[in-house]
Amino acid sequence: EVQLVESGGGLVQAGGSLRLSCAASGFTFDDYDIGWFRQAPGKEREGVSCISSSDGSTYYADSVKGRFTISSDNAKNTVYLRMNSLKPEDTAVYYCAIKESSWLPCYYGMDYWGKGTLVTVSS
């Protein structure tokens, strides 16, 4: 059974930083894509960042480019999202998700999701 467990969320002041972790287990894909998504109250879920294990390609939403960094520790099957210069509009529940690499772009077609971790940025 594939499991994804997010951690690292919390309350931070605007301008502060957090690092989210996503520990993945139970998957047998040789190549996979792991993404971070977020959903703010009253808004649709959006892709924040994504990384492909096959070549290490990374992707970022325009709203977080230059502030967020995705990275992975393959030995630990863990993906991180370093979030700097946080803004109140970054407040959301952050989810990680995984799929086996395919022809679909990194963010699309995720098969397994974590339960999320709440990030709250105060002004």
Side-chain angles (χ1 to χ4, degrees), residues 48-52 55 57-61 65 70 106-107:
V48 175
S49 185
C50 196
I51 186 167
S52 294
D55 60 3
S57 296
T58 56
Y59 308 88
Y60 297 95
K65 280 180 183 176
I70 192 170
C106 195
Y107 289 111

Side-chain angles (χ1 to χ4, degrees), residues 33-45:
D33 298 333
I34 290 187
W36 285 98
F37 299 78
R38 67 186 181 187
Q39 187 165 21
K43 294 189 177 181
E44 293 188 353
R45 186 175 62 202

Side-chain angles (χ1 to χ4, degrees), residues 90-109:
D90 294 318
T91 295
V93 177
Y94 284 71
Y95 302 89
C96 66
I98 190 172
K99 73 175 197 286
E100 187 171 11
S101 293
S102 69
W103 58 274
L104 291 170
C106 195
Y107 289 111
Y108 294 89

Side-chain angles (χ1 to χ4, degrees), residues 52-91:
S52 294
S53 72
S54 58
D55 60 3
S57 296
T58 56
Y59 308 88
Y60 297 95
D62 288 341
S63 59
V64 307
K65 280 180 183 176
R67 301 189 298 123
F68 291 10
T69 303
I70 192 170
S71 62
S72 64
D73 184 335
N74 293 334
K76 296 182 179 180
N77 285 340
T78 299
V79 173
Y80 304 97
L81 185 68
R82 177 69 180 182
M83 306 186 296
N84 295 330
S85 302
L86 283 162
K87 305 175 181 179
E89 51 263 44
D90 294 318
T91 295

Side-chain angles (χ1 to χ4, degrees), residues 7-26:
S7 61
L11 174 64
V12 64
Q13 287 189 331
S17 299
L18 285 174
R19 189 182 77 160
L20 305 184
S21 300
C22 172
S25 62

